[in-house]
Amino acid sequence: MRREVVRTRLRALPDEPLVRELRSDDLPQDSVDLLLDELGDPHRLRTRQEATRHALCDHVLRKNLYFTPYGQPEANVSRAVMADRAAALFTWAVVPLAHDKRYLSDLRELLHRMLRDPSVTAGNWLHKAIVAPAGGQVPDLPPALWQQIVSDALQRTTGPSAVVPPVAAGAAAPSPRPAPEAGPERPDLTARLTELLNNNPGCLLGVLGGLVAVLVGIVVLVV
């Protein structure tokens, strides 16, 4: 009953005092959740002023609110529910401003950390925030972030290099194979991504979106 009373009072307030309250550092997690639930209301998202959108996005990134302020799950909330809620917050509070250069460094750090995190919770977050967000809308991230996602995912799934076994004592060394005829040099993945980025950004996003879906799926299966 108390939560419903608080929800009713919050609905009557404009965005600005809610964001100011959210940015105070002495709120319990339950109060933070109530504020975020109200700030994520679809009507508020459509009518929110630009300055308030930036203040909210900045706070979400600085305080790691896409999980909890200190990365610890609540006692009565499962990690799966926490990941779902955090991914939803990332989708409506951060993704719409992802092309703003002032957030590029924070987003690089966030995505790198999530892709290198072997936990199931991080895998669930990646799936719900990047691969299959609620509503089916793939996040509109800058090409530089998609490149980083692919690079981190490839490093995450690449195994150790193959080791050539030593030749047993007394065994004849294998005869060298003739060198193959020289052909046109094939560009590596980074060069190809850069070429796509410069010449056809739309094609790059399509290719990276499909590749990320496969790679993050592999990450989730592995962990």
Side-chain angles (χ1 to χ4, degrees), residues 51-83:
T52 306
R53 285 156 50 97
H54 281 283
L56 181 57
C57 176
D58 176 74
H59 186 69
V60 168
L61 288 173
R62 284 192 303 105
K63 293 296 185 178
N64 298 337
L65 294 186
Y66 43 83
F67 267 96
T68 62
Y70 308 107
Q72 299 297 324
E74 300 170 57
N76 60 340
V77 176
S78 71
R79 289 185 177 272
V81 171
M82 184 181 71

Side-chain angles (χ1 to χ4, degrees), residues 20-62:
R20 282 199 302 270
E21 188 69 20
L22 180 68
R23 297 177 74 180
S24 63
D25 293 329
D26 56 353
L27 289 179
Q29 185 61 38
D30 189 56
S31 298
V32 171
D33 291 340
L34 284 171
L35 286 167
L36 290 175
D37 286 346
E38 180 58 33
L39 287 166
D41 178 79
H43 174 71
R44 288 183 182 271
L45 296 179
R46 290 191 299 268
T47 60
R48 181 161 297 147
Q49 294 184 1
E50 192 72 9
T52 306
R53 285 156 50 97
H54 281 283
L56 181 57
C57 176
D58 176 74
H59 186 69
V60 168
L61 288 173
R62 284 192 303 105

Side-chain angles (χ1 to χ4, degrees), residues 195-215:
E195 179 184 350
L196 283 172
L197 174 62
N198 294 331
N199 299 332
N200 195 339
C203 176
L204 173 65
L205 289 178
V207 172
L208 290 180
L211 182 56
V212 167
V214 174
L215 291 174

Side-chain angles (χ1 to χ4, degrees), residues 12-153:
L13 296 173
D15 281 352
E16 289 73 15
L18 298 184
V19 173
R20 282 199 302 270
E21 188 69 20
L22 180 68
R23 297 177 74 180
S24 63
D25 293 329
D26 56 353
L27 289 179
Q29 185 61 38
D30 189 56
S31 298
V32 171
D33 291 340
L34 284 171
L35 286 167
L36 290 175
D37 286 346
E38 180 58 33
L39 287 166
D41 178 79
H43 174 71
R44 288 183 182 271
L45 296 179
R46 290 191 299 268
T47 60
R48 181 161 297 147
Q49 294 184 1
E50 192 72 9
T52 306
R53 285 156 50 97
H54 281 283
L56 181 57
C57 176
D58 176 74
H59 186 69
V60 168
L61 288 173
R62 284 192 303 105
K63 293 296 185 178
N64 298 337
L65 294 186
Y66 43 83
F67 267 96
T68 62
Y70 308 107
Q72 299 297 324
E74 300 170 57
N76 60 340
V77 176
S78 71
R79 289 185 177 272
V81 171
M82 184 181 71
D84 288 351
R85 200 165 60 191
L89 173 61
F90 179 79
T91 297
W92 65 257
V94 177
V95 168
L97 298 174
H99 283 266
D100 193 304
K101 292 182 179 180
R102 76 188 82 174
Y103 306 120
L104 183 59
S105 177
D106 288 330
L107 285 172
R108 282 185 182 277
E109 180 183 347
L110 162 62
L111 294 172
H112 178 74
R113 183 166 68 252
M114 289 299 188
L115 277 158
R116 305 298 289 178
D117 189 335
S119 70
V120 174
T121 304
N124 288 340
W125 186 92
L126 286 166
H127 184 77
K128 293 296 181 68
I130 305 298
V131 179
Q137 184 65 40
V138 177
D140 181 19
L141 302 178
L145 290 179
W146 281 117
Q147 285 179 310
Q148 178 179 318
I149 289 172
V150 173
S151 175
D152 286 342

Side-chain angles (χ1 to χ4, degrees), residues 40 129 176 217 222:
V222 170

